Amino acid sequence: MKILQIATVITPENAYGGPTTVALNHCRGLIDAGHDVTLVAGAQGFEGALPETFQGVPVKLFPVVQALPGAGFAGMACPAMLNWLWHNARTADAVHVHLARDFVTLPAASLVQNLGVLTCVQTHGMIDPSDKLLAKPLDAALTRRVLRAAHRVFHLTEVERQGVLEVAGKDLRIEELHNGLDADSMPSPRPHDHVTVLYLARLQARKRPLVFVQAARELAPEFPDVRFRMVGPDEGQGDEVARAIAESGLGDRLVWDGPADRAGCQDAMATADVYVLPSVDEPYPMSVLEALAARLPVVLTDTCGLAPAVERGGAGTVTTNDPAEIAPAIRAYLADEQLRSATAERAQRLIREEFSMRPIVEQLLRAYQGS
């Protein structure tokens, strides 16, 4: 089959995280299964000519413009992509749009649907009832129509499903689709000098990076040989995080390294011992799946969509949203190397048994073939 996947924007360090990572994983899995796949997306932050491959996937990239100043991700648009799709999308057997409330993926999905190409959309927790200024006019103009016309609407969790139905109505062809990854694509743990606790995510309020900093400050005196490392782009809390790190007086024991590309993120995972994501209302974070595949015990909250699987598989610790619970959860792994090791083995087993790409690719192909 000839398949196009569409995402909002790609940056050299994959600053927009989850949905793009999911799209890339889909593409690699479908290519391995023998299909002709291209990821079509906006591009930002590249120097010189835009690449024709990204992380091993053929890509067709176009510069994004800020259609609505001050609206960030939601205000991006990509007119050149729409022009390309107009001339090329008809040759595809199926198009899969990683849909957000933005002026890239919504117009792209609508255009492809109007061309009569089978179109699946995946909302990644980004389409839900919202009071944001742009939500109502966008939903009236595009969102509901795109969702209702989709051959399949993929959701991750029951909470997401209910939100999508509330936005677009009950008569959707909606189906649960897990995120997954190829466990063998993650590097094996590498020897490193210090036990390291890792936060790898964007620095934004919902991710609660300051909770990680506070936990590090609480635990550092008790574990003088442990290092606490943060990796991720600033999305609103960078100044506060930098200030809190400076005030901690921990020097190189608590660092924020800024954003990293895929290789840098994999290196961070390979040289860590515990992964911590203090986020609230996190639908299905790819970083947690990658940490599990890298054999890291994970600490996350019960509002994360992956919490039930982590708890069921004994692959980490699930806390409530109370920030005070994060440090004790980390402490258990720092104090007990045997617990870390046993949990790490269960983490990798969970990925292989429940989150491998093969069943996901098979499910995608059934949808793309019109079933």
Side-chain angles (χ1 to χ4, degrees):
M1 296 184 73
K2 184 174 181 179
I3 301 159
L4 299 179
Q5 294 225 358
I6 299 176
T8 303
V9 62
I10 289 176
T11 70
E13 68 281 3
N14 194 15
Y16 294 99
T20 306
T21 300
V22 172
L24 289 162
N25 286 341
H26 285 178
C27 291
R28 282 189 287 264
L30 290 161
I31 290 167
D32 289 345
H35 298 277
D36 178 0
V37 186
T38 301
L39 177 57
V40 183
Q44 193 178 64
F46 290 95
E47 295 183 3
L50 294 174
E52 296 182 356
T53 62
F54 185 78
Q55 297 185 10
V57 171
V59 294
K60 190 68 179 176
L61 302 182
F62 305 90
V64 294
V65 297
Q66 198 68 36
L68 289 178
F73 181 88
M76 292 179 180
C78 198
M81 177 198 291
L82 298 178
N83 182 60
W84 186 88
L85 288 171
W86 173 258
H87 289 96
N88 294 277
R90 292 180 184 88
T91 65
D93 297 298
V95 175
H96 184 140
V97 184
H98 297 269
L99 197 69
R101 276 193 182 102
D102 61 43
F103 296 101
V104 179
T105 56
L106 278 169
S110 181
L111 171 61
V112 171
Q113 289 170 339
N114 289 337
L115 292 174
V117 183
L118 186 148
T119 307
C120 298
V121 302
Q122 185 168 353
T123 56
H124 297 280
M126 296 186 291
I127 307 292
D128 58 1
S130 174
D131 294 326
K132 291 183 178 178
L133 187 61
L134 278 176
K136 288 186 178 180
L138 262 181
D139 290 350
L142 282 174
T143 312
R144 281 193 284 273
R145 179 156 51 86
V146 164
L147 290 169
R148 290 169 181 169
H151 174 72
R152 193 77 85 250
V153 178
F154 292 121
H155 70 92
L156 287 163
T157 66
E158 180 59 23
V159 171
E160 182 181 1
R161 177 180 176 275
Q162 292 298 329
V164 170
L165 292 175
E166 189 173 337
V167 169
K170 303 297 183 183
D171 297 327
L172 301 184
R173 292 172 287 273
I174 192 163
E175 179 179 324
E176 183 176 342
L177 176 70
H178 288 165
N179 287 342
L181 77 170
D182 177 3
D184 294 329
S185 69
M186 294 300 296
S188 299
R190 295 204 313 273
H192 44 283
D193 293 335
H194 302 279
V195 172
T196 300
V197 182
L198 177 66
Y199 170 102
L200 195 158
R202 298 188 297 278
L203 272 61
Q204 64 173 204
R206 183 167 58 84
K207 306 284 186 182
R208 303 201 301 179
L210 290 167
V211 172
F212 181 86
V213 173
Q214 182 54 43
R217 296 177 69 167
E218 181 178 335
L219 294 167
E222 188 176 346
F223 300 97
D225 294 327
V226 171
R227 299 293 186 266
F228 299 86
R229 183 181 183 190
M230 306 181 74
V231 177
D234 177 17
E235 285 197 12
Q237 291 213 313
D239 289 345
E240 291 178 78
V241 167
R243 186 163 52 250
I245 288 174
E247 291 172 352
S248 75
L250 293 175
D252 62 3
R253 294 187 57 205
L254 171 59
V255 297
W256 170 33
D257 291 333
D261 60 14
R262 186 182 186 219
C265 291
Q266 289 188 334
D267 179 75
M269 294 276 191
T271 53
D273 300 273
V274 182
Y275 178 73
V276 181
L277 186 66
S279 294
V280 292
D281 300 323
E282 190 74 45
Y284 222 84
M286 282 302 300
S287 63
V288 170
L289 292 182
E290 290 172 346
L292 294 169
R295 299 177 59 186
L296 296 179
V298 299
V299 174
L300 67 166
T301 73
D302 57 10
T303 61
C304 174
L306 286 168
V310 167
E311 209 159 34
R312 181 174 64 251
T317 301
V318 176
T319 74
T320 71
N321 282 352
D322 184 352
E325 294 186 18
I326 298 296
I330 300 170
R331 178 182 288 111
Y333 295 109
L334 299 183
D336 190 339
E337 184 177 357
Q338 187 174 0
L339 175 64
R340 285 203 310 272
S341 178
T343 307
E345 294 300 322
R346 292 193 293 268
Q348 191 176 56
R349 188 182 313 127
L350 177 65
I351 287 292
R352 293 189 181 280
E353 292 178 354
E354 296 194 28
F355 297 99
S356 69
M357 282 303 299
R358 182 175 177 178
I360 293 170
V361 167
E362 291 172 352
Q363 184 178 354
L364 290 174
L365 290 173
R366 286 194 297 270
Y368 297 164
Q369 291 161 358
S371 61

